[in-house]
Amino acid sequence: MSLLRLYARVLELLGKEARLGWILAGANLLLAGAQFAEPVLFGRIVDVLTGNPSNGPLASTSTSPWPLLAAWVAFGLFTILCGVVVALNADRLSHRQRQAVLTSYFEHIMQLPLTFHTGTHSGRLMKVMLQGTDALWRLWLGFFREHFAAIMSLVVLLPLSLYINWRLAILLFVLCVVFTVLTTLVVRKTFEMQNEVEEQYGNLSARASDALGNVALVQSFVRIDAEVAGLRGIADKLLAAQLPVLSWWALVTVMTRASTTITVLAIFTVGIMLHQQGLTSVGEIVMFVSFATMLIQKLEQVVAFINNVFMEAPRLQEFFNVLDAVPAVRDRPDAIDPGRLQGLVEFNNVSFSYDGKRPAVEDVSFTALPGQTIALVGPTGAGKSTAIALLHRAFDPQSGVIKVDGMDVRGMTLSALRRNIGVVFQEALLFNRSIADNLRVGKPDATLEEMRTAAARAQALDFIERGEQQFDTNAGERGRMLSGGERQRLSIARALLKDPPILILDEATSALDAVTEAKVNAALDEVMKGRTTFVIAHRLSTIRNATTILVFEHGRVIESGTFDELVAQGGRFAGLARAQFMVQDNAATDATAISASTEPS
């Protein structure tokens, strides 16, 4: 994306503030015109005082300096007041819109599919969000405070100077050309360098976030020195990439300072020669010296504007890349909210592939009646979790149809569908907030009594009330202030509060000890009552009473039936059951029987 297009998008994000932006742009235009009254009036006052009036197009007919001085004061007051109003409103506009864009960006990334978040580090996303909105704020503020006025000043100054004295104006045009060539050269020279700088900033953020998120691992494996060294290495690469960029822009600054002196000297030299020939007045020479000083100032502001856009470009490019990411799953224009569903779930020849080559789920068909428990078993990568993810539309199938209560799930709004589905994950996901706040994720308006009831049914009330702050106890980051079993029981209580007609249990007890598992299983039995429940499990003991068990392999359902029916078939499920000592091996049973029959009585 070119710098011009990038900046156009920055201005597009003004949104509802665009009207105020246009007003500020108009005020900047007035400022640009008013600022040139000062050098023009200054030059004419000098002509009046020296008694050598100019014959130029803006020559004054007044023989007294006082009217000119009064006009100067009027323009000066207007410039000050207008400048204050512009600065004040530019500040407010920039801060208001920064918060609005940050909020909408956050909403956007929260709606992006899990596949996006799986492949993108959360630390990098945070860095992109904060740095991107900060960059927008700085560019908006700078544009409406001074940069637009500076650009408009050049538009006004150059034609005005040509109108007053084209011979002296040529020097100003030469100065502008030198600045333009130099700035273009530096931008082209350093553009790729700055992209490398931002890449290293992203690496630095991701590395620091990764280490902080795994601080227990770092400390237990004595990795502090290694992690610090790794971060220092990235910081060194960042500095090595940044220094050449800074050097080039320092060169622009030096050239700016040098050109100021050279241009003023050139105007005096040419002006004296023209004055001797009667082609200009002393006042015009003074006027053009003021023009040159003002031009240098405006050019510096324009260069600062270009430099700001250039330095922010990689951050903004990252920001817009994320902002342009389209959610794979979106509401159809005609999607409806069916309200509370009954829980009849149908999979009809459903297929899905992550990469378009190898199917993750292939031709899966089954029906779950309201209140039934459907268990999904099979080796890792067999397609169990993908099939259930399709139910709550983490993805949409490439072929086939998933229906709930006879309606295609794609015909419902995402919020309506997911409001009817509760999930208890393998890893209990908790916010760094109070227990009450975490429970209210399931029901935002839940009362204390409702939370107590849900916690009691989830076998969680005892440990909650043991805490000094009870429901106001902070769960810690990712729930680290609680044990694994406590976290899991809280997630079950959360599902109970939500009270969905469809429930998904994703390996909800796989990481628990036997005693805790027994408590959690008792809580799960409570939460499963009267709901269509899908259980993803490796421990077959947790699905002994499932209505139907689906055995997955390579994305297909290869066996289905009740526990006893599948064991009787002697297929893949029976082998899993024997491996987990859920049933006895027939050979072992026969050997035991023969041994017993041959023993002497």
Side-chain angles (χ1 to χ4, degrees), residues 33-331:
Q35 285 173 349
F36 293 108
E38 180 178 334
V40 170
L41 291 169
F42 185 29
R44 295 310 170 216
I45 290 173
V46 169
D47 282 340
V48 170
L49 293 176
T50 58
N52 183 21
S54 169
N55 295 320
L58 296 181
S60 174
T61 58
S62 174
T63 57
S64 172
W66 298 112
L68 296 173
L69 190 61
W72 190 348
V73 171
F75 275 108
L77 289 174
F78 172 79
T79 302
I80 293 170
L81 291 175
C82 192
V84 169
V85 171
V86 167
L88 184 62
N89 283 281
D91 277 354
R92 292 178 176 179
L93 177 150
S94 302
H95 280 87
R96 280 198 305 264
Q97 197 58 20
R98 175 196 184 190
Q99 302 309 320
V101 171
L102 187 146
T103 304
S104 63
Y105 177 90
F106 180 75
E107 180 182 9
H108 172 74
I109 61 176
M110 293 299 288
Q111 292 173 342
L112 291 175
L114 293 176
T115 48
F116 176 87
H117 290 279
T118 301
T120 309
H121 197 284
S122 58
R124 185 178 290 271
L125 278 178
M126 284 293 295
K127 171 251 181 189
V128 169
M129 180 175 73
L130 296 176
Q131 289 194 351
T133 51
D134 281 350
L136 289 169
W137 170 73
R138 285 191 292 268
L139 290 178
W140 287 329
L141 189 62
F143 182 80
F144 290 115
R145 264 193 171 185
E146 56 183 26
H147 294 150
F148 186 69
I151 294 170
M152 289 298 98
S153 296
L154 296 180
V155 173
V156 174
L157 171 61
L158 296 176
L160 179 64
S161 62
L162 277 173
Y163 181 66
I164 295 173
N165 190 317
W166 64 269
R167 297 174 182 85
L168 291 175
I170 290 175
L171 296 173
L172 301 183
F173 272 89
V174 170
L175 179 61
C176 286
V177 170
V178 171
F179 257 83
T180 302
V181 171
L182 184 61
T183 304
T184 302
L185 174 67
V186 172
V187 167
R188 288 183 176 178
K189 192 76 175 176
T190 57
F191 188 76
E192 290 302 323
M193 295 180 187
Q194 188 62 27
N195 283 332
E196 173 65 20
V197 170
E198 291 308 315
E199 179 67 24
Q200 295 302 333
Y201 268 121
N203 293 339
L204 189 72
S205 177
R207 182 65 179 252
S209 176
D210 200 32
L212 289 171
N214 293 282
V215 66
L217 175 68
V218 171
Q219 292 180 355
S220 63
F221 279 80
V222 198
R223 289 277 307 174
I224 294 176
D225 290 343
E227 291 301 320
V228 171
L231 193 70
R232 186 179 291 115
I234 296 175
D236 289 342
K237 290 180 181 178
L238 170 61
L239 187 61
Q242 183 74 80
L243 288 178
V245 177
L246 297 177
S247 298
W248 276 102
W249 284 103
L251 176 63
V252 173
T253 303
V254 171
M255 294 296 292
T256 301
R257 298 289 183 268
S259 60
T260 304
T261 304
I262 294 171
T263 303
V264 170
L265 287 173
I267 288 174
F268 269 119
T269 303
V270 174
I272 291 170
M273 293 170 59
L274 293 174
H275 180 65
Q276 290 174 345
Q277 298 174 29
L279 297 175
T280 189
S281 66
V282 175
E284 281 188 356
I285 296 173
V286 172
M287 186 189 306
F288 269 84
V289 169
S290 298
F291 277 168
T293 304
M294 185 176 290
L295 180 63
I296 294 294
Q297 180 187 3
K298 300 306 178 185
L299 284 173
E300 284 181 335
Q301 290 177 355
V302 171
V303 168
F305 162 69
I306 296 171
N307 187 23
N308 288 345
V309 176
F310 167 76
M311 297 294 280
E312 306 290 8
R315 298 170 191 151
L316 291 170
Q317 186 69 66
E318 278 189 300
F319 183 84
F320 287 128
N321 285 343
V322 176
L323 202 61
D324 291 340
V326 179
V329 178
R330 289 177 288 176
D331 286 337

Side-chain angles (χ1 to χ4, degrees), residues 453-461 489-490 492-493 496 519-520 523 526:
T453 301
R457 292 176 64 192
Q459 311 287 314
L461 188 59
R489 280 176 277 169
L490 276 184
I492 294 168
L496 279 166
K519 292 181 180 180
V520 172
E526 185 69 24

Side-chain angles (χ1 to χ4, degrees), residues 302-583:
V302 171
V303 168
F305 162 69
I306 296 171
N307 187 23
N308 288 345
V309 176
F310 167 76
M311 297 294 280
E312 306 290 8
R315 298 170 191 151
L316 291 170
Q317 186 69 66
E318 278 189 300
F319 183 84
F320 287 128
N321 285 343
V322 176
L323 202 61
D324 291 340
V326 179
V329 178
R330 289 177 288 176
D331 286 337
R332 288 179 175 177
D334 59 346
I336 63 169
D337 182 348
R340 185 174 177 85
L341 301 170
Q342 296 299 311
L344 171 62
V345 177
E346 300 170 87
F347 274 60
N348 297 322
N349 301 314
V350 173
S351 296
F352 174 78
S353 173
Y354 290 101
D355 56 10
K357 300 176 183 177
R358 185 173 60 88
V361 171
E362 188 173 10
D363 294 328
V364 171
S365 297
F366 65 85
T367 299
L369 299 177
Q372 288 188 338
T373 298
I374 308 298
L376 293 82
V377 301
T380 301
K384 310 181 298 297
S385 296
T386 301
I388 296 304
L390 292 170
L391 173 60
H392 58 87
R393 293 194 69 195
F395 325 100
D396 278 335
Q398 276 97 26
S399 64
V401 178
I402 302 172
K403 295 181 179 180
V404 178
D405 288 4
M407 292 179 285
D408 189 332
V409 293
R410 289 169 292 193
M412 306 178 195
T413 62
L414 281 167
S415 58
L417 174 66
R418 292 171 181 172
R419 202 164 46 239
N420 281 279
I421 299 175
V423 184
V424 179
F425 298 96
Q426 178 178 3
E427 178 188 359
L429 304 176
L430 298 177
F431 292 113
N432 185 19
R433 302 167 194 171
S434 70
I435 288 175
D437 286 339
N438 276 286
L439 291 177
R440 287 195 176 103
V441 170
K443 185 180 180 183
D445 59 348
T447 65
L448 179 60
E449 191 57 38
E450 287 175 323
M451 289 191 291
R452 285 177 58 82
T453 301
R457 292 176 64 192
Q459 311 287 314
L461 188 59
D462 288 345
F463 80 79
I464 292 174
E465 293 191 332
R466 279 201 304 268
E468 184 177 338
Q469 294 179 296
Q470 299 190 5
F471 282 89
D472 291 327
T473 302
N474 193 281
E477 185 180 2
R478 296 180 181 270
R480 288 173 181 168
M481 300 298 289
L482 306 172
S483 69
E486 290 170 345
R487 291 196 295 269
Q488 199 63 287
R489 280 176 277 169
L490 276 184
S491 66
I492 294 168
R494 184 169 58 197
L496 279 166
L497 270 176
K498 185 177 183 181
D499 190 27
I502 300 170
L503 181 67
I504 297 171
L505 305 177
D506 187 358
E507 293 284 355
T509 62
S510 63
L512 305 178
D513 60 80
V515 175
T516 305
E517 183 182 6
K519 292 181 180 180
V520 172
N521 279 333
L524 290 174
D525 290 340
E526 185 69 24
V527 78
M528 290 165 63
K529 288 179 180 177
R531 308 178 202 281
T532 306
T533 306
F534 295 89
V535 183
I536 301 173
H538 284 110
R539 293 187 186 180
L540 303 187
S541 59
T542 61
I543 58 168
R544 185 69 176 80
N545 299 319
T547 310
T548 302
I549 299 172
L550 305 175
V551 183
F552 278 75
E553 189 172 278
H554 302 305
R556 289 179 171 272
V557 177
I558 59 172
E559 296 176 6
S560 66
T562 65
F563 189 95
D564 293 334
E565 287 171 349
L566 291 176
V567 170
Q569 288 178 15
R572 184 59 56 88
F573 182 82
L576 292 172
R578 285 194 296 272
Q580 296 187 25
F581 304 103
M582 293 293 294
V583 295

